[in-house]
Amino acid sequence: MGKTLVIVESPAKAKSISKFLSKNYTVKASMGHLRDLPKSQIGVDIDNDFEPKYIAIRGRGEVVKELKAAAKAADKVLLASDPDREGEAIAWHLAHLLGLDLNESSRVEFHEITKPTIQKAVKNARKIDMHRVDAQQARRVLDRLVGYQLSPLLWRKIKKGLSAGRVQSVAVRLICDREEEIRVFEPVEYWTLAAECLCDGGSFVAKLIHKLGKKITISSQQQMEMVLKELKAAQYEIKEIKTKEKKKQPAPPFT
C-alpha cells in the first residue's frame, strides 16, 4: 500500500487522528484557511460574474510549503477538513494549492474522532461538493461586498471605526424597525373573562369567546360589568364534549 497524506484543520485533531491510522498514513494540519480574498482591495470582479480573486494568506507560507512537500512525497492525498461549509471550501482551496484533480475522490468527512469512524472515513472518500464550496464563496463575496463598500460610507457620514456587515447590518435594521413599531404603538384596553364551572364530573375553566355566534370584544370595565350581569342570570349546559389525542414533540436541543 502506498503512502497517504491526510490533511485536517487543527494540529490537535491531527495528533488524535494519527493514533488511529497505520504507518502508511501521515496526518498534517492546514491550520484553517490558506487562501482568502486580499485585504488591500475588494477582491471581487463585480463586472465578471462576481469572480473572487484569491491569494495566499500572509504568514501561512511555511504551512503551504510543508503541505506541498508532504503531498509530493505521498501517493494519495485525503482532505479531511471540518464537515461543514467552511471545511468544504478549505478542502477545495487545498486541492488548488496542491494541484489535486477535483474529479478524484479526495474528500473525507467524519463527525466524531473515534478509531472506527476515522478508519471508515478514509476508506470512503468522495469528491469535493462544489455546491457547498459555492455556498461558502457566496457568503465570503457578500461579506466583502457589504463590508468594503458600506463601511467607508459609515466612516464618511457617521463616525470612523464603524462597520457594516452581511448579518449585523440587517439585524440592526430589524431591531430599529421593531423599536419604531413599539414607539408608535397605541395601547388599547381590553378585558378577558374566564370562569371556573362546576359539574358532576368535577370542574373546568371556561373562557368567554363568543356571544350569539359572534366574537365578543370587551374594551372597558363598564362593558365587563354588563356582561357579568348577563352571565350571572344565565343558565349553563355542556353542549358537546370532544376528545382527541395530540402528539407533542420536545423542543430540539440547543446547539
Side-chain angles (χ1 to χ4, degrees):
M1 183 180 178
K3 293 284 185 181
T4 301
L5 171 65
V6 180
I7 302 176
V8 296
E9 288 188 43
S10 76
K13 194 177 285 186
K15 192 175 180 181
S16 300
I17 291 170
S18 61
K19 296 175 183 176
F20 300 141
L21 298 173
S22 69
K23 292 180 180 179
N24 292 318
Y25 290 88
T26 301
V27 186
K28 290 192 175 292
S30 71
M31 316 282 283
H33 280 278
L34 294 175
R35 292 202 310 171
D36 197 7
L37 301 175
K39 289 185 176 181
S40 59
Q41 54 185 278
I42 195 165
V44 179
D45 192 344
I46 297 171
D47 297 323
N48 290 295
D49 204 23
F50 296 92
E51 186 70 26
K53 174 187 174 183
Y54 294 113
I55 62 169
I57 296 174
R58 184 175 293 180
R60 312 305 299 280
E62 284 300 317
V63 177
V64 174
K65 186 178 178 182
E66 183 183 342
L67 291 177
K68 282 184 175 180
K72 192 174 181 181
D75 298 299
K76 187 176 182 181
V77 178
L78 296 177
L79 307 171
S81 43
D82 292 351
D84 55 21
R85 184 177 61 189
E86 290 296 319
E88 204 72 23
I90 288 172
W92 179 72
H93 285 298
L94 282 167
H96 278 275
L97 286 168
L98 303 178
L100 305 181
D101 186 351
L102 293 176
N103 292 315
E104 286 187 5
S105 297
S106 59
R107 177 74 168 114
V108 172
E109 186 175 342
F110 47 82
H111 295 267
E112 61 180 43
I113 303 178
T114 60
K115 189 173 182 178
T117 301
I118 300 302
Q119 290 179 340
K120 182 180 179 182
V122 296
K123 292 177 182 177
N124 292 279
R126 59 168 173 79
K127 292 180 183 179
I128 292 173
D129 185 349
M130 287 308 299
H131 291 301
R132 281 191 187 179
V133 174
D134 288 342
Q136 191 276 342
Q137 290 192 93
R139 179 201 67 77
R140 190 70 190 93
V141 167
L142 280 170
D143 276 342
R144 180 54 61 94
L145 292 177
V146 175
Y148 272 47
Q149 294 196 34
L150 289 186
S151 293
L153 181 64
L154 292 178
W155 302 341
R156 291 196 302 270
K157 299 293 184 180
I158 303 176
K159 182 185 176 184
K160 277 280 186 182
L162 295 176
S163 65
R166 171 182 59 93
V167 176
Q168 70 183 40
S169 299
V170 179
V172 170
R173 170 62 187 267
L174 290 171
I175 292 168
C176 290
D177 286 349
R178 181 56 57 87
E179 180 63 26
E180 186 62 25
E181 288 177 17
I182 293 169
R183 287 180 179 179
V184 300
F185 175 75
E186 293 183 7
V188 177
E189 182 179 355
Y190 70 94
W191 291 66
T192 60
L193 178 64
E196 186 174 1
C197 302
L198 303 176
C199 61
D200 292 340
S203 66
F204 60 91
V205 175
K207 292 181 179 179
L208 177 63
I209 298 174
H210 296 97
K211 181 181 180 182
L212 298 176
K214 294 183 179 179
K215 187 176 179 181
I216 186 168
T217 303
I218 305 169
S219 56
S220 68
Q221 183 176 347
Q222 186 179 5
Q223 274 185 278
M224 177 58 83
E225 288 173 352
M226 290 173 63
V227 170
L228 282 172
K229 189 176 180 180
E230 286 185 58
L231 292 175
K232 285 177 181 178
Q235 295 293 318
Y236 299 91
E237 66 177 22
I238 297 173
K239 189 175 180 181
E240 186 180 8
I241 296 176
K242 289 183 179 179
T243 304
K244 62 180 179 180
E245 287 188 6
K246 289 182 73 175
K247 285 186 178 181
K248 188 176 181 181
Q249 298 293 336
F254 178 74
T255 59

